[in-house]
Amino acid sequence: MRWLMAAFYLAAGLLHLRSPAAFLPIMPDWVPAPREVVILTGVAEILGAAGLLVPSLRKAAGIGLALYALCVFPANIKHAMEAIVVPGLPTSWWYHAPRLALQPILIWWALFCSGAIAWPARQQES
């Protein structure tokens, strides 16, 4: 799970850096310096992906990626509610509804695969 998440965030981060203009339409109007924020999110995704693979950074990376997923939720909502076209992404609710519904799972996944939480696995008592 950790390697898959790292690959996912590495790819997303590189995409944010390569094509920041593609993400500008989904940025909420209240976000200052939207282009710079898109670039910073790409850097955050890449650093988070790398951090998941370094044992001493893993937990911090998982918490950071969980917070990141929470912070980008308003952009995902705007993307869905305003049916904004982003090249390479579907525009139908068959895409947006599962994406929005799975956002909490993405947050959990970052925390779980980094060892920040153990739920739902139970730790054995000593």
Side-chain angles (χ1 to χ4, degrees):
M1 283 179 40
R2 182 172 34 252
W3 283 93
L4 183 59
M5 174 158 273
F8 167 78
Y9 273 114
L10 175 63
L14 292 172
L15 185 58
H16 279 85
L17 294 180
R18 187 188 69 169
S19 304
F23 296 94
L24 293 177
I26 69 170
M27 292 293 283
D29 296 335
W30 48 265
V31 174
R35 180 173 167 64
E36 290 77 10
V37 169
V38 170
I39 291 168
L40 287 174
T41 60
V43 171
E45 289 169 319
I46 292 167
L47 292 175
L52 285 177
L53 305 178
V54 178
S56 63
L57 300 175
R58 188 169 293 148
K59 188 183 270 190
I63 292 168
L65 288 172
L67 290 171
Y68 167 82
L70 181 65
C71 289
V72 299
F73 199 51
N76 294 342
I77 292 170
K78 179 179 178 177
H79 187 196
M81 298 304 291
E82 296 180 15
I84 297 168
V85 175
V86 173
L89 293 179
T91 57
S92 79
W93 272 96
W94 289 105
Y95 166 75
H96 289 295
R99 181 179 184 201
L100 294 174
L102 292 173
Q103 196 79 13
I105 294 171
L106 188 63
I107 292 168
W108 166 83
W109 183 15
L111 295 171
F112 184 78
C113 78
S114 69
I117 62 171
W119 182 83
R122 297 196 189 275
Q123 296 180 3
Q124 294 181 346
E125 294 181 29
S126 300

